[in-house]
Amino acid sequence: MVKTLFLVLLTTALINNIVLSQFLGICPFLGVSRNIKTAAGMGGAVIFVITISSAVTSLIYDYILVKLNLTYLKTIAFIMVIAFLVQLVESFLKKSAPALYKSLGVYLPLITTNCAVLGTALTNVQQANDFVTSVVTGLGTSVGFCIAIVIMAGIREKTETNDFPESFKGTPAVLLTACLMSIAFYGFSMFK
């Protein structure tokens, strides 16, 4: 069981990286990856929200929606859970880390609509994951998001002053970097 859970964690973080292989959560990935500190803060917030929402949505789905034959309400229920958790993170950061809260700006409340968070909850349901597997999947997915956004921020910090051709400056350079990162992470699939 522990070996299976470790493989789930590793697979969701590296091989099936939510950003680089499933292309979910691109908006905060591109928008918050300008510097490492902000990217790490967003990664931490996403780790908390995805992991906890995976646990809570698993319980809600299995013990409320399925029991009451209301599974068609899963998307609405999951969005409500995610919105609550994001508000919790937002309040915590506003009080304890105002500089990080300000640097995350509009991207922090946008975690609510981040398709990576909802996608993870829905994937857990579609794959009929039990509670523990859902939590581990959420943790692995969010750690993968954090790894990807921090690596992107590090690359962007290092290449910010590079002399790119005019047509590659800004967004094209960032998208090309994301493409190359995706190809690099694809190499992990050899170990499946």
Side-chain angles (χ1 to χ4, degrees):
M1 180 70 173
V2 173
K3 182 179 176 184
T4 302
L5 292 175
F6 178 73
L7 289 174
V8 166
L9 183 71
L10 200 61
T11 300
T12 54
L14 298 176
I15 297 170
N16 294 326
N17 186 284
I18 194 87
V19 177
L20 300 173
S21 70
Q22 297 179 29
F23 307 111
L24 296 174
I26 295 291
C27 293
F29 173 70
L30 297 176
V32 183
S33 61
R34 295 190 191 280
N35 71 45
I36 293 174
K37 188 173 183 180
T38 306
M42 175 59 94
V46 168
I47 287 172
F48 175 80
V49 171
I50 290 181
T51 304
I52 301 301
S53 70
S54 293
V56 173
T57 56
S58 175
L59 293 172
I60 287 173
Y61 185 79
D62 290 340
Y63 295 108
I64 297 174
L65 298 178
V66 170
K67 299 272 190 222
L68 298 175
N69 200 24
L70 297 172
T71 57
Y72 58 90
L73 293 175
K74 68 180 173 263
T75 303
I76 294 169
F78 293 176
I79 289 172
M80 288 177 20
V81 167
I82 292 164
F84 171 77
L85 290 171
V86 169
Q87 288 299 313
L88 192 67
V89 168
E90 195 171 1
S91 297
F92 175 77
L93 288 179
K94 194 173 189 178
K95 297 245 187 245
S96 65
L100 178 59
Y101 173 78
K102 189 174 181 178
S103 68
L104 290 174
V106 71
Y107 293 101
L108 186 58
L110 285 178
I111 293 175
T112 302
T113 58
N114 185 343
C115 54
V117 182
L118 182 59
T120 303
L122 292 173
T123 299
N124 282 330
V125 168
Q126 288 173 341
Q127 294 178 348
N129 289 342
D130 62 12
F131 176 76
V132 175
T133 306
S134 293
V135 173
V136 171
T137 298
L139 178 63
T141 299
S142 57
V143 166
F145 178 89
C146 188
I147 290 169
I149 197 170
V150 168
I151 290 173
M152 174 61 98
I155 292 170
R156 285 180 77 174
E157 280 186 0
K158 294 290 184 191
T159 61
E160 192 171 280
T161 58
N162 286 7
D163 187 28
F164 285 110
E166 194 62 37
S167 60
F168 278 106
K169 287 185 178 174
T171 303
V174 173
L175 292 175
L176 185 60
T177 302
C179 176
L180 293 172
M181 286 176 61
S182 182
I183 291 169
F185 271 68
Y186 182 72
F188 288 121
S189 67
M190 292 178 3
F191 301 108
K192 252 185 178 176

